[in-house]
Amino acid sequence: MNNFLDFEKPIADLEGKIRELEGLEDGSDIEIKEDIAKLRQKALHQLEQTYAKLTPWQKTQVARHVDRPKLSDITAQLIEEFTPLAGDRAFADDKAIVGGMGRFRGRSVVVIGTEKGKDTESRLRHNFGMARPEGYRKAQRLMRMADHFSLPILTFIDTSGAYPGIGAEERGQAEAIARSIEVSLDVRVPMIASIVGEGGSGGAVALASANRVLMFANAIYSVISPEGCAAILWKTRDKAQEAATAMKVTAQDLLKLKVIDRIVDEPVGGAQRDVPAAINALGDAIEEELTSLVGKEPGELREERRRKFLAIGRLEEG
Amino acid sequence: MNWLTNKVLPKFRQLTTKQDTPDNLWVKCPDCGQMLFHNDLQANQNVCAHCDYHLRISPVERFEALFDEAKYDLIELPEVPVDPLKFRDSKRYTERLKDARHKTGDIDAMKVAHGKMNGNAAVIAVQNFDFMGGSLGLAVGEAIVAASKLAILQKAPLILFSAAGGARMQEGILSLMQMPRTTVAIQRLKENRLPFIVVLTDPTTGGVTASYAMLGDIQIAEPGALICFAGPRVIEETIRETLPDGFQRAEFLLEHGMLDMVVHRKDMRETLCRIIDLLGTKLKLPPAVMKNSDKKTVAKPSVAKEESAAASSSKK
Ligand SMILES: [Zn+2]
């Protein structure tokens, strides 16, 4: 763990000290060994304390952490025989959205997700997880295919939003997102969406209009970025912390609002500290939800999904 | 109008500025800068007589211009939770709502009416930019759900005039959820084989464009309307380039295949009446045509329509 967030400084200091002592230690000095053990205990305690009471803005920072689980980590760990499928059959293959088929805990599924990339080269290739219309059209194509072959759809979302560019607008970014939501609400197979890091606006909901929406405990999901909201309503991006709080972007808030269905706990100190453990927990949650959905009638799956969204934010069922 | 602009207006301009025009009798065209007499502008459905610039028009004025004999009934819209997030920026959201309600006399940014268009039943929903930028929140979402229900009940097409700066940020994620919610409303309409016609007006942006406003069976826009997902400023900040002339305007979208047509406001009623007439469930082909032509090409669609009519009547 080298990438510390600003509020993690005390933890970073402690871990720095531990590393220093470990460098001194030659295996014989019992006192140093004890010191290291104490410091480890202290660091862990500090980490637990810090992560137990993260503010919405701190969660935003965690959700954007460069070491958060990426789609490539998830497919590698959870999807056997992952077989990526490319292209929208109209214009291009948008690598900000990766999709394909594979086997999730024994069951054949279609996987679709945004990919931010891990290093400069892959970040550029995946356009930092900001999809263009082709990405959403590829997603539509794969959802239709899943429907055709009765395969459950698993989506994974980690994006700051759809890409705001000239070409993207020319080729109908809005229509591509609208249609992606429409197809999501049309398919008659189980669909489970997981918000892994950032769930940024229309670019996220395009893949998250699902039977079940799961969310990592430190992920965020919002209509606009806190900075964007602050710039418009407070007239300065410096008020992003206030905006993050006011907009209710955390998993805990969204569960209360019934916008999401389930929170997936992260390892102490966030998913970025133990990516395999985090992905495993996510896999368990998805498996449970999927098991509860697979027996249902195709028409029922679609109708339930639609009713679920219609019920959000309503005074009463109507 | 011409004698006025040619003779009176130049003098008038010298004497007054925009601020001290008496009782807002004059409106300056935002595009060509001409001073337009309020009554003339109103008679012209808020379109500049000089340059055809389409100024904003209120939902009521639209209803009057579109329905037969300007007769229509507004529907009462379902109540929604007020300020569900207890949102406050520099001002409380409840205060902003109060101001907008005072300014417009409306409860929120969408009005829904039904009436006849060229004798056919029609439901029209109009989004009001003057109410908090027309923004999409719980109330607008619920209005679309209600409009869709009404259209299904009346077996009528739904015509929706969109106008919005995007989502109602003060409702946070619940405004984002209106994208799938309104999509479900439109799906219900489509599954009843009722036309959904969208007229995009200036401006239609963000989550509104990226949901119901792009899901029409027929996509129409008013001339010059800004229609986009990401706003021009956001794009300029991202790519650090100035945008080409006319970018994201209605004509640009038409050119790029995103619209069926751009329609001048004066032709809107006629166009919409014709479309709903052509798409309507009534049998439009005269019997003579059916007898004389190849059954495979002409009779087939009418049979399909009879079947769907029979199916829907058998449900009763
Ligand atoms: Zn003009």
Side-chain angles (χ1 to χ4, degrees), chain B residues 260-281:
Chain B
D260 290 293
M261 56 187 100
V262 174
V263 175
H264 193 288
R265 204 173 279 161
K266 71 172 159 46
D267 302 322
M268 193 61 78
R269 176 179 143 84
E270 189 275 323
T271 306
L272 290 170
C273 284
R274 178 159 32 90
I275 289 169
I276 63 176
D277 219 43
L278 288 168
L279 290 176
T281 47

mmCIF file with all atom_site columns, all heavy atoms in Angstrom, chain B residues 260-281:
data_model
loop_
_atom_site.group_PDB
_atom_site.id
_atom_site.type_symbol
_atom_site.label_atom_id
_atom_site.label_alt_id
_atom_site.label_comp_id
_atom_site.label_asym_id
_atom_site.label_entity_id
_atom_site.label_seq_id
_atom_site.pdbx_PDB_ins_code
_atom_site.Cartn_x
_atom_site.Cartn_y
_atom_site.Cartn_z
_atom_site.occupancy
_atom_site.B_iso_or_equiv
_atom_site.pdbx_formal_charge
_atom_site.auth_seq_id
_atom_site.auth_comp_id
_atom_site.auth_asym_id
_atom_site.auth_atom_id
_atom_site.pdbx_PDB_model_num
ATOM 1   N N   . ASP B 1 260 ? -35.851 12.806 -36.366 1.00 0.00 ? 260 ASP B N   1
ATOM 2   C CA  . ASP B 1 260 ? -36.598 12.605 -37.600 1.00 0.00 ? 260 ASP B CA  1
ATOM 3   C C   . ASP B 1 260 ? -36.774 13.912 -38.362 1.00 0.00 ? 260 ASP B C   1
ATOM 4   O O   . ASP B 1 260 ? -36.753 13.942 -39.577 1.00 0.00 ? 260 ASP B O   1
ATOM 5   C CB  . ASP B 1 260 ? -37.972 12.011 -37.293 1.00 0.00 ? 260 ASP B CB  1
ATOM 6   C CG  . ASP B 1 260 ? -37.858 10.578 -36.812 1.00 0.00 ? 260 ASP B CG  1
ATOM 7   O OD1 . ASP B 1 260 ? -37.457 9.736  -37.636 1.00 0.00 ? 260 ASP B OD1 1
ATOM 8   O OD2 . ASP B 1 260 ? -38.133 10.314 -35.640 1.00 0.00 ? 260 ASP B OD2 1
ATOM 9   N N   . MET B 1 261 ? -36.999 14.988 -37.630 1.00 0.00 ? 261 MET B N   1
ATOM 10  C CA  . MET B 1 261 ? -37.249 16.265 -38.294 1.00 0.00 ? 261 MET B CA  1
ATOM 11  C C   . MET B 1 261 ? -37.102 17.436 -37.329 1.00 0.00 ? 261 MET B C   1
ATOM 12  O O   . MET B 1 261 ? -37.229 17.275 -36.118 1.00 0.00 ? 261 MET B O   1
ATOM 13  C CB  . MET B 1 261 ? -38.657 16.274 -38.903 1.00 0.00 ? 261 MET B CB  1
ATOM 14  C CG  . MET B 1 261 ? -39.757 15.979 -37.908 1.00 0.00 ? 261 MET B CG  1
ATOM 15  S SD  . MET B 1 261 ? -41.388 15.791 -38.695 1.00 0.00 ? 261 MET B SD  1
ATOM 16  C CE  . MET B 1 261 ? -41.531 14.007 -38.768 1.00 0.00 ? 261 MET B CE  1
ATOM 17  N N   . VAL B 1 262 ? -36.820 18.592 -37.931 1.00 0.00 ? 262 VAL B N   1
ATOM 18  C CA  . VAL B 1 262 ? -36.837 19.848 -37.187 1.00 0.00 ? 262 VAL B CA  1
ATOM 19  C C   . VAL B 1 262 ? -38.049 20.618 -37.696 1.00 0.00 ? 262 VAL B C   1
ATOM 20  O O   . VAL B 1 262 ? -38.199 20.812 -38.903 1.00 0.00 ? 262 VAL B O   1
ATOM 21  C CB  . VAL B 1 262 ? -35.535 20.651 -37.412 1.00 0.00 ? 262 VAL B CB  1
ATOM 22  C CG1 . VAL B 1 262 ? -35.621 22.019 -36.753 1.00 0.00 ? 262 VAL B CG1 1
ATOM 23  C CG2 . VAL B 1 262 ? -34.333 19.864 -36.885 1.00 0.00 ? 262 VAL B CG2 1
ATOM 24  N N   . VAL B 1 263 ? -38.918 21.006 -36.781 1.00 0.00 ? 263 VAL B N   1
ATOM 25  C CA  . VAL B 1 263 ? -40.196 21.589 -37.201 1.00 0.00 ? 263 VAL B CA  1
ATOM 26  C C   . VAL B 1 263 ? -40.377 22.974 -36.591 1.00 0.00 ? 263 VAL B C   1
ATOM 27  O O   . VAL B 1 263 ? -40.239 23.163 -35.381 1.00 0.00 ? 263 VAL B O   1
ATOM 28  C CB  . VAL B 1 263 ? -41.369 20.664 -36.783 1.00 0.00 ? 263 VAL B CB  1
ATOM 29  C CG1 . VAL B 1 263 ? -42.718 21.312 -37.104 1.00 0.00 ? 263 VAL B CG1 1
ATOM 30  C CG2 . VAL B 1 263 ? -41.253 19.313 -37.485 1.00 0.00 ? 263 VAL B CG2 1
ATOM 31  N N   . HIS B 1 264 ? -40.644 23.943 -37.456 1.00 0.00 ? 264 HIS B N   1
ATOM 32  C CA  . HIS B 1 264 ? -40.946 25.314 -37.042 1.00 0.00 ? 264 HIS B CA  1
ATOM 33  C C   . HIS B 1 264 ? -42.219 25.297 -36.192 1.00 0.00 ? 264 HIS B C   1
ATOM 34  O O   . HIS B 1 264 ? -43.142 24.533 -36.461 1.00 0.00 ? 264 HIS B O   1
ATOM 35  C CB  . HIS B 1 264 ? -41.154 26.173 -38.292 1.00 0.00 ? 264 HIS B CB  1
ATOM 36  C CG  . HIS B 1 264 ? -41.157 27.640 -38.015 1.00 0.00 ? 264 HIS B CG  1
ATOM 37  N ND1 . HIS B 1 264 ? -42.203 28.265 -37.369 1.00 0.00 ? 264 HIS B ND1 1
ATOM 38  C CD2 . HIS B 1 264 ? -40.252 28.609 -38.316 1.00 0.00 ? 264 HIS B CD2 1
ATOM 39  C CE1 . HIS B 1 264 ? -41.930 29.560 -37.277 1.00 0.00 ? 264 HIS B CE1 1
ATOM 40  N NE2 . HIS B 1 264 ? -40.750 29.794 -37.843 1.00 0.00 ? 264 HIS B NE2 1
ATOM 41  N N   . ARG B 1 265 ? -42.245 26.158 -35.201 1.00 0.00 ? 265 ARG B N   1
ATOM 42  C CA  . ARG B 1 265 ? -43.378 26.157 -34.274 1.00 0.00 ? 265 ARG B CA  1
ATOM 43  C C   . ARG B 1 265 ? -44.715 26.381 -34.983 1.00 0.00 ? 265 ARG B C   1
ATOM 44  O O   . ARG B 1 265 ? -45.734 25.816 -34.585 1.00 0.00 ? 265 ARG B O   1
ATOM 45  C CB  . ARG B 1 265 ? -43.146 27.211 -33.184 1.00 0.00 ? 265 ARG B CB  1
ATOM 46  C CG  . ARG B 1 265 ? -43.912 26.933 -31.908 1.00 0.00 ? 265 ARG B CG  1
ATOM 47  C CD  . ARG B 1 265 ? -43.508 27.919 -30.820 1.00 0.00 ? 265 ARG B CD  1
ATOM 48  N NE  . ARG B 1 265 ? -42.265 27.547 -30.155 1.00 0.00 ? 265 ARG B NE  1
ATOM 49  C CZ  . ARG B 1 265 ? -41.519 28.396 -29.454 1.00 0.00 ? 265 ARG B CZ  1
ATOM 50  N NH1 . ARG B 1 265 ? -41.891 29.657 -29.333 1.00 0.00 ? 265 ARG B NH1 1
ATOM 51  N NH2 . ARG B 1 265 ? -40.414 27.975 -28.876 1.00 0.00 ? 265 ARG B NH2 1
ATOM 52  N N   . LYS B 1 266 ? -44.685 27.181 -36.048 1.00 0.00 ? 266 LYS B N   1
ATOM 53  C CA  . LYS B 1 266 ? -45.954 27.461 -36.732 1.00 0.00 ? 266 LYS B CA  1
ATOM 54  C C   . LYS B 1 266 ? -46.498 26.203 -37.433 1.00 0.00 ? 266 LYS B C   1
ATOM 55  O O   . LYS B 1 266 ? -47.696 26.107 -37.694 1.00 0.00 ? 266 LYS B O   1
ATOM 56  C CB  . LYS B 1 266 ? -45.791 28.624 -37.734 1.00 0.00 ? 266 LYS B CB  1
ATOM 57  C CG  . LYS B 1 266 ? -44.967 28.296 -38.981 1.00 0.00 ? 266 LYS B CG  1
ATOM 58  C CD  . LYS B 1 266 ? -45.042 29.436 -39.988 1.00 0.00 ? 266 LYS B CD  1
ATOM 59  C CE  . LYS B 1 266 ? -43.908 29.479 -41.002 1.00 0.00 ? 266 LYS B CE  1
ATOM 60  N NZ  . LYS B 1 266 ? -43.511 28.259 -41.660 1.00 0.00 ? 266 LYS B NZ  1
ATOM 61  N N   . ASP B 1 267 ? -45.629 25.252 -37.709 1.00 0.00 ? 267 ASP B N   1
ATOM 62  C CA  . ASP B 1 267 ? -46.058 24.011 -38.371 1.00 0.00 ? 267 ASP B CA  1
ATOM 63  C C   . ASP B 1 267 ? -46.240 22.847 -37.403 1.00 0.00 ? 267 ASP B C   1
ATOM 64  O O   . ASP B 1 267 ? -46.514 21.723 -37.813 1.00 0.00 ? 267 ASP B O   1
ATOM 65  C CB  . ASP B 1 267 ? -45.019 23.600 -39.433 1.00 0.00 ? 267 ASP B CB  1
ATOM 66  C CG  . ASP B 1 267 ? -44.808 24.691 -40.469 1.00 0.00 ? 267 ASP B CG  1
ATOM 67  O OD1 . ASP B 1 267 ? -45.812 25.342 -40.833 1.00 0.00 ? 267 ASP B OD1 1
ATOM 68  O OD2 . ASP B 1 267 ? -43.653 24.905 -40.878 1.00 0.00 ? 267 ASP B OD2 1
ATOM 69  N N   . MET B 1 268 ? -46.049 23.124 -36.120 1.00 0.00 ? 268 MET B N   1
ATOM 70  C CA  . MET B 1 268 ? -46.007 22.018 -35.147 1.00 0.00 ? 268 MET B CA  1
ATOM 71  C C   . MET B 1 268 ? -47.345 21.292 -35.041 1.00 0.00 ? 268 MET B C   1
ATOM 72  O O   . MET B 1 268 ? -47.396 20.065 -35.092 1.00 0.00 ? 268 MET B O   1
ATOM 73  C CB  . MET B 1 268 ? -45.575 22.553 -33.776 1.00 0.00 ? 268 MET B CB  1
ATOM 74  C CG  . MET B 1 268 ? -45.197 21.471 -32.776 1.00 0.00 ? 268 MET B CG  1
ATOM 75  S SD  . MET B 1 268 ? -43.792 20.458 -33.309 1.00 0.00 ? 268 MET B SD  1
ATOM 76  C CE  . MET B 1 268 ? -42.409 21.554 -32.929 1.00 0.00 ? 268 MET B CE  1
ATOM 77  N N   . ARG B 1 269 ? -48.413 22.056 -34.891 1.00 0.00 ? 269 ARG B N   1
ATOM 78  C CA  . ARG B 1 269 ? -49.717 21.409 -34.725 1.00 0.00 ? 269 ARG B CA  1
ATOM 79  C C   . ARG B 1 269 ? -50.054 20.539 -35.944 1.00 0.00 ? 269 ARG B C   1
ATOM 80  O O   . ARG B 1 269 ? -50.430 19.382 -35.803 1.00 0.00 ? 269 ARG B O   1
ATOM 81  C CB  . ARG B 1 269 ? -50.821 22.463 -34.501 1.00 0.00 ? 269 ARG B CB  1
ATOM 82  C CG  . ARG B 1 269 ? -52.201 21.844 -34.421 1.00 0.00 ? 269 ARG B CG  1
ATOM 83  C CD  . ARG B 1 269 ? -53.307 22.857 -34.168 1.00 0.00 ? 269 ARG B CD  1
ATOM 84  N NE  . ARG B 1 269 ? -54.503 22.486 -34.919 1.00 0.00 ? 269 ARG B NE  1
ATOM 85  C CZ  . ARG B 1 269 ? -55.418 21.610 -34.501 1.00 0.00 ? 269 ARG B CZ  1
ATOM 86  N NH1 . ARG B 1 269 ? -55.277 21.041 -33.317 1.00 0.00 ? 269 ARG B NH1 1
ATOM 87  N NH2 . ARG B 1 269 ? -56.452 21.304 -35.245 1.00 0.00 ? 269 ARG B NH2 1
ATOM 88  N N   . GLU B 1 270 ? -49.882 21.109 -37.101 1.00 0.00 ? 270 GLU B N   1
ATOM 89  C CA  . GLU B 1 270 ? -50.219 20.375 -38.334 1.00 0.00 ? 270 GLU B CA  1
ATOM 90  C C   . GLU B 1 270 ? -49.375 19.100 -38.430 1.00 0.00 ? 270 GLU B C   1
ATOM 91  O O   . GLU B 1 270 ? -49.880 18.017 -38.744 1.00 0.00 ? 270 GLU B O   1
ATOM 92  C CB  . GLU B 1 270 ? -50.000 21.300 -39.540 1.00 0.00 ? 270 GLU B CB  1
ATOM 93  C CG  . GLU B 1 270 ? -50.500 20.766 -40.855 1.00 0.00 ? 270 GLU B CG  1
ATOM 94  C CD  . GLU B 1 270 ? -49.482 19.858 -41.557 1.00 0.00 ? 270 GLU B CD  1
ATOM 95  O OE1 . GLU B 1 270 ? -48.264 20.140 -41.490 1.00 0.00 ? 270 GLU B OE1 1
ATOM 96  O OE2 . GLU B 1 270 ? -49.923 18.845 -42.140 1.00 0.00 ? 270 GLU B OE2 1
ATOM 97  N N   . THR B 1 271 ? -48.096 19.224 -38.127 1.00 0.00 ? 271 THR B N   1
ATOM 98  C CA  . THR B 1 271 ? -47.195 18.065 -38.216 1.00 0.00 ? 271 THR B CA  1
ATOM 99  C C   . THR B 1 271 ? -47.602 16.974 -37.228 1.00 0.00 ? 271 THR B C   1
ATOM 100 O O   . THR B 1 271 ? -47.691 15.791 -37.581 1.00 0.00 ? 271 THR B O   1
ATOM 101 C CB  . THR B 1 271 ? -45.739 18.503 -37.931 1.00 0.00 ? 271 THR B CB  1
ATOM 102 O OG1 . THR B 1 271 ? -45.416 19.578 -38.814 1.00 0.00 ? 271 THR B OG1 1
ATOM 103 C CG2 . THR B 1 271 ? -44.763 17.368 -38.126 1.00 0.00 ? 271 THR B CG2 1
ATOM 104 N N   . LEU B 1 272 ? -47.841 17.383 -35.990 1.00 0.00 ? 272 LEU B N   1
ATOM 105 C CA  . LEU B 1 272 ? -48.201 16.403 -34.963 1.00 0.00 ? 272 LEU B CA  1
ATOM 106 C C   . LEU B 1 272 ? -49.540 15.741 -35.284 1.00 0.00 ? 272 LEU B C   1
ATOM 107 O O   . LEU B 1 272 ? -49.693 14.527 -35.146 1.00 0.00 ? 272 LEU B O   1
ATOM 108 C CB  . LEU B 1 272 ? -48.253 17.075 -33.585 1.00 0.00 ? 272 LEU B CB  1
ATOM 109 C CG  . LEU B 1 272 ? -46.899 17.500 -33.005 1.00 0.00 ? 272 LEU B CG  1
ATOM 110 C CD1 . LEU B 1 272 ? -47.094 18.368 -31.763 1.00 0.00 ? 272 LEU B CD1 1
ATOM 111 C CD2 . LEU B 1 272 ? -46.038 16.283 -32.670 1.00 0.00 ? 272 LEU B CD2 1
ATOM 112 N N   . CYS B 1 273 ? -50.505 16.548 -35.746 1.00 0.00 ? 273 CYS B N   1
ATOM 113 C CA  . CYS B 1 273 ? -51.819 15.996 -36.102 1.00 0.00 ? 273 CYS B CA  1
ATOM 114 C C   . CYS B 1 273 ? -51.661 14.945 -37.197 1.00 0.00 ? 273 CYS B C   1
ATOM 115 O O   . CYS B 1 273 ? -52.267 13.876 -37.148 1.00 0.00 ? 273 CYS B O   1
ATOM 116 C CB  . CYS B 1 273 ? -52.764 17.104 -36.587 1.00 0.00 ? 273 CYS B CB  1
ATOM 117 S SG  . CYS B 1 273 ? -53.412 18.104 -35.243 1.00 0.00 ? 273 CYS B SG  1
ATOM 118 N N   . ARG B 1 274 ? -50.850 15.263 -38.178 1.00 0.00 ? 274 ARG B N   1
ATOM 119 C CA  . ARG B 1 274 ? -50.644 14.339 -39.302 1.00 0.00 ? 274 ARG B CA  1
ATOM 120 C C   . ARG B 1 274 ? -49.982 13.049 -38.811 1.00 0.00 ? 274 ARG B C   1
ATOM 121 O O   . ARG B 1 274 ? -50.396 11.942 -39.163 1.00 0.00 ? 274 ARG B O   1
ATOM 122 C CB  . ARG B 1 274 ? -49.789 15.019 -40.374 1.00 0.00 ? 274 ARG B CB  1
ATOM 123 C CG  . ARG B 1 274 ? -49.470 14.150 -41.574 1.00 0.00 ? 274 ARG B CG  1
ATOM 124 C CD  . ARG B 1 274 ? -49.082 14.983 -42.814 1.00 0.00 ? 274 ARG B CD  1
ATOM 125 N NE  . ARG B 1 274 ? -48.392 16.227 -42.472 1.00 0.00 ? 274 ARG B NE  1
ATOM 126 C CZ  . ARG B 1 274 ? -47.066 16.342 -42.345 1.00 0.00 ? 274 ARG B CZ  1
ATOM 127 N NH1 . ARG B 1 274 ? -46.285 15.308 -42.522 1.00 0.00 ? 274 ARG B NH1 1
ATOM 128 N NH2 . ARG B 1 274 ? -46.526 17.508 -42.025 1.00 0.00 ? 274 ARG B NH2 1
ATOM 129 N N   . ILE B 1 275 ? -48.974 13.191 -37.968 1.00 0.00 ? 275 ILE B N   1
ATOM 130 C CA  . ILE B 1 275 ? -48.256 12.003 -37.480 1.00 0.00 ? 275 ILE B CA  1
ATOM 131 C C   . ILE B 1 275 ? -49.186 11.099 -36.679 1.00 0.00 ? 275 ILE B C   1
ATOM 132 O O   . ILE B 1 275 ? -49.227 9.890  -36.909 1.00 0.00 ? 275 ILE B O   1
ATOM 133 C CB  . ILE B 1 275 ? -47.025 12.414 -36.631 1.00 0.00 ? 275 ILE B CB  1
ATOM 134 C CG1 . ILE B 1 275 ? -45.954 13.011 -37.540 1.00 0.00 ? 275 ILE B CG1 1
ATOM 135 C CG2 . ILE B 1 275 ? -46.459 11.220 -35.869 1.00 0.00 ? 275 ILE B CG2 1
ATOM 136 C CD1 . ILE B 1 275 ? -44.820 13.683 -36.797 1.00 0.00 ? 275 ILE B CD1 1
ATOM 137 N N   . ILE B 1 276 ? -49.941 11.702 -35.759 1.00 0.00 ? 276 ILE B N   1
ATOM 138 C CA  . ILE B 1 276 ? -50.796 10.817 -34.943 1.00 0.00 ? 276 ILE B CA  1
ATOM 139 C C   . ILE B 1 276 ? -51.927 10.236 -35.782 1.00 0.00 ? 276 ILE B C   1
ATOM 140 O O   . ILE B 1 276 ? -52.383 9.131  -35.544 1.00 0.00 ? 276 ILE B O   1
ATOM 141 C CB  . ILE B 1 276 ? -51.305 11.474 -33.629 1.00 0.00 ? 276 ILE B CB  1
ATOM 142 C CG1 . ILE B 1 276 ? -52.185 12.683 -33.893 1.00 0.00 ? 276 ILE B CG1 1
ATOM 143 C CG2 . ILE B 1 276 ? -50.160 11.855 -32.733 1.00 0.00 ? 276 ILE B CG2 1
ATOM 144 C CD1 . ILE B 1 276 ? -52.755 13.265 -32.600 1.00 0.00 ? 276 ILE B CD1 1
ATOM 145 N N   . ASP B 1 277 ? -52.328 10.976 -36.789 1.00 0.00 ? 277 ASP B N   1
ATOM 146 C CA  . ASP B 1 277 ? -53.336 10.447 -37.702 1.00 0.00 ? 277 ASP B CA  1
ATOM 147 C C   . ASP B 1 277 ? -52.778 9.246  -38.476 1.00 0.00 ? 277 ASP B C   1
ATOM 148 O O   . ASP B 1 277 ? -53.420 8.211  -38.592 1.00 0.00 ? 277 ASP B O   1
ATOM 149 C CB  . ASP B 1 277 ? -53.732 11.564 -38.675 1.00 0.00 ? 277 ASP B CB  1
ATOM 150 C CG  . ASP B 1 277 ? -55.222 11.544 -38.952 1.00 0.00 ? 277 ASP B CG  1
ATOM 151 O OD1 . ASP B 1 277 ? -55.986 11.375 -37.985 1.00 0.00 ? 277 ASP B OD1 1
ATOM 152 O OD2 . ASP B 1 277 ? -55.600 11.683 -40.129 1.00 0.00 ? 277 ASP B OD2 1
ATOM 153 N N   . LEU B 1 278 ? -51.549 9.392  -38.972 1.00 0.00 ? 278 LEU B N   1
ATOM 154 C CA  . LEU B 1 278 ? -50.926 8.316  -39.754 1.00 0.00 ? 278 LEU B CA  1
ATOM 155 C C   . LEU B 1 278 ? -50.582 7.101  -38.891 1.00 0.00 ? 278 LEU B C   1
ATOM 156 O O   . LEU B 1 278 ? -50.668 5.964  -39.339 1.00 0.00 ? 278 LEU B O   1
ATOM 157 C CB  . LEU B 1 278 ? -49.654 8.827  -40.442 1.00 0.00 ? 278 LEU B CB  1
ATOM 158 C CG  . LEU B 1 278 ? -49.888 9.793  -41.609 1.00 0.00 ? 278 LEU B CG  1
ATOM 159 C CD1 . LEU B 1 278 ? -48.579 10.455 -42.014 1.00 0.00 ? 278 LEU B CD1 1
ATOM 160 C CD2 . LEU B 1 278 ? -50.516 9.077  -42.799 1.00 0.00 ? 278 LEU B CD2 1
ATOM 161 N N   . LEU B 1 279 ? -50.180 7.356  -37.654 1.00 0.00 ? 279 LEU B N   1
ATOM 162 C CA  . LEU B 1 279 ? -49.823 6.244  -36.768 1.00 0.00 ? 279 LEU B CA  1
ATOM 163 C C   . LEU B 1 279 ? -51.031 5.667  -36.040 1.00 0.00 ? 279 LEU B C   1
ATOM 164 O O   . LEU B 1 279 ? -50.937 4.628  -35.407 1.00 0.00 ? 279 LEU B O   1
ATOM 165 C CB  . LEU B 1 279 ? -48.815 6.705  -35.703 1.00 0.00 ? 279 LEU B CB  1
ATOM 166 C CG  . LEU B 1 279 ? -47.398 7.026  -36.150 1.00 0.00 ? 279 LEU B CG  1
ATOM 167 C CD1 . LEU B 1 279 ? -46.600 7.566  -34.970 1.00 0.00 ? 279 LEU B CD1 1
ATOM 168 C CD2 . LEU B 1 279 ? -46.712 5.808  -36.726 1.00 0.00 ? 279 LEU B CD2 1
ATOM 169 N N   . GLY B 1 280 ? -52.167 6.362  -36.171 1.00 0.00 ? 280 GLY B N   1
ATOM 170 C CA  . GLY B 1 280 ? -53.335 6.029  -35.354 1.00 0.00 ? 280 GLY B CA  1
ATOM 171 C C   . GLY B 1 280 ? -53.843 4.627  -35.555 1.00 0.00 ? 280 GLY B C   1
ATOM 172 O O   . GLY B 1 280 ? -53.544 3.950  -36.543 1.00 0.00 ? 280 GLY B O   1
ATOM 173 N N   . THR B 1 281 ? -54.629 4.161  -34.584 1.00 0.00 ? 281 THR B N   1
ATOM 174 C CA  . THR B 1 281 ? -55.108 2.786  -34.624 1.00 0.00 ? 281 THR B CA  1
ATOM 175 C C   . THR B 1 281 ? -56.304 2.614  -35.554 1.00 0.00 ? 281 THR B C   1
ATOM 176 O O   . THR B 1 281 ? -56.686 1.509  -35.891 1.00 0.00 ? 281 THR B O   1
ATOM 177 C CB  . THR B 1 281 ? -55.499 2.312  -33.214 1.00 0.00 ? 281 THR B CB  1
ATOM 178 O OG1 . THR B 1 281 ? -56.293 3.323  -32.618 1.00 0.00 ? 281 THR B OG1 1
ATOM 179 C CG2 . THR B 1 281 ? -54.283 2.051  -32.370 1.00 0.00 ? 281 THR B CG2 1
#
